Amino acid sequence: MFVLLAALWLAIRFGLQPLRRMSSEIAEIEKGGREALSEEYPRELEGVGRGFNTLLRSERQRMERYRTTMDDLAHSLKTPLAVVRNEVSGGQPDRVALQAQVDRMQSVIDYQLKRAAATGPRSLAARPVALQPVLTELVASLRKIHRDRDVACDLQVPEGASYPAEQGDLYEILGNLLDNAWKWCRSRVVVTVEVAAGGLSVTVADDGPGIPEDQTEAVLNRGIRVDQRGDVPGQGIGLAVVREIVGLYGGSLRLGRSALGGAEIGVLLPKTRIGDLPLIRR
């Protein structure tokens, strides 16, 4: 009996050793002594360790994004606030200059709010979101917004096409791309969706004036517009928001000339595990 009890005690002691090590590593993480759990665990605990590390990476990414957003907001508002202060302290403020700075600050705030609202990839598996209903709803909304324009929108979406992401992020990406195409097209917009082993590919093409090759990179920055025409509303933040969200998912953004003669913007969202995504810094 004593031999059996000793054997049982040893079996429990050595059997629970990985759990004690995991508990110790979690305590180190809480104290800031390490960034993640080690990967050398028994097969039964590999999933637990991988899921815990995935959660840590995701939360660090979110916190880093929040800090970056606040830093960028403070930095971007510093200059226009200084201009407003100088104009007001001068005794005879220039109304045009003040309005320009107010518009600039509003643009900065709108962009940062949209950027902060982007959820990004979830730490755990996201539910697949059907793309056809999302695109159909966005097109219906744009038709109501632009009642005075007769735009033919062709949605080329495979039956049952979906992508595992936050629904709000997909609405933001697709909505900004469609809104941009709707504003600049002459009469036609074509949306092409492809779902393959590599992930999700969405291309939005229009028959408008297009984007000059020397401005394809600049137009992705906040507040930059290809054409400053007053008849096309906008503040130049839509594509910047799209690039921000696509980057959160580890995807890529492509700008070029469409077969219709206007702009063609392509988005590729890969099928990547959240734990493999890089920590985004700016």
Side-chain angles (χ1 to χ4, degrees):
M1 183 183 298
F2 284 114
V3 172
L4 289 175
L5 289 175
L8 182 60
W9 178 79
L10 289 174
I12 294 176
R13 180 176 179 81
F14 285 102
L16 295 180
Q17 186 174 1
L19 290 177
R20 286 195 297 271
R21 180 158 59 91
M22 180 177 288
S23 176
S24 176
E25 290 182 355
I26 292 176
E28 290 183 29
I29 292 173
E30 292 176 346
K31 296 177 182 178
R34 61 185 305 135
E35 294 187 354
L37 295 177
S38 60
E39 300 179 357
E40 299 176 356
Y41 279 102
R43 183 176 56 186
E44 294 78 8
L45 295 177
E46 283 182 355
V48 177
R50 185 168 56 248
F52 187 83
N53 287 338
T54 296
L55 181 62
L56 284 177
R57 291 191 188 98
S58 178
E59 292 307 312
R60 286 198 186 101
Q61 186 182 46
R62 292 173 190 271
M63 292 302 299
E64 184 71 21
R65 184 155 52 91
Y66 294 152
R67 293 192 190 99
T68 303
T69 299
M70 295 304 296
D71 290 343
D72 289 350
L73 181 60
H75 179 74
S76 299
L77 292 178
K78 185 186 302 182
T79 300
L81 282 175
V83 174
V84 170
R85 187 183 300 110
N86 291 336
E87 287 290 336
V88 172
S89 62
Q92 296 181 341
D94 185 348
R95 179 178 181 142
V96 175
L98 288 177
Q99 185 62 48
Q101 297 306 317
V102 170
D103 292 341
R104 179 180 175 184
M105 287 188 286
Q106 185 64 56
S107 174
V108 170
I109 293 172
D110 289 343
Y111 169 71
Q112 295 296 351
L113 286 177
K114 285 178 174 288
R115 178 182 174 188
T119 306
R122 293 174 58 180
S123 55
L124 302 178
R127 293 182 179 180
V129 178
L131 299 176
Q132 182 72 47
V134 173
L135 288 167
T136 302
E137 181 180 345
L138 289 171
V139 169
S141 299
L142 287 170
R143 291 193 188 282
K144 293 178 181 179
I145 296 172
H146 302 278
R147 296 178 184 272
D148 57 332
R149 304 199 60 193
D150 185 16
V151 177
C153 184
D154 183 13
L155 298 180
Q156 301 177 3
V157 185
E159 184 177 356
S162 63
Y163 185 76
E166 289 296 324
Q167 188 171 5
D169 292 344
L170 288 179
Y171 268 102
E172 199 67 42
I173 293 173
L174 300 175
N176 279 304
L177 292 181
L178 277 170
D179 182 63
N180 185 75
W182 216 279
K183 288 177 180 177
W184 295 100
C185 74
R186 293 185 175 90
S187 61
R188 191 181 178 195
V189 175
V190 177
V191 181
T192 305
V193 175
E194 297 179 358
V195 180
L200 172 68
S201 173
V202 180
T203 303
V204 179
D206 63 71
D207 60 350
I211 302 174
E213 293 185 4
D214 59 343
Q215 297 186 36
T216 54
E217 182 63 27
V219 77
L220 295 176
N221 296 323
R222 176 181 57 82
I224 302 299
R225 302 182 64 191
V226 176
D227 194 337
Q228 300 297 331
R229 285 170 19 204
D231 59 330
V232 180
Q235 298 173 321
I237 66 175
L239 293 182
V241 171
V242 170
R243 182 172 70 168
E244 181 77 21
I245 301 176
V246 170
L248 291 176
Y249 283 87
S252 59
L253 194 62
R254 174 182 55 82
L255 280 70
R257 177 73 62 174
S258 72
L260 301 176
E264 180 178 284
I265 303 178
V267 171
L268 177 61
L269 298 176
K271 287 186 177 180
T272 307
R273 290 188 310 157
I274 305 305
D276 296 334
L277 294 177
L279 181 62
I280 298 177
R281 292 187 173 87
R282 279 171 176 74

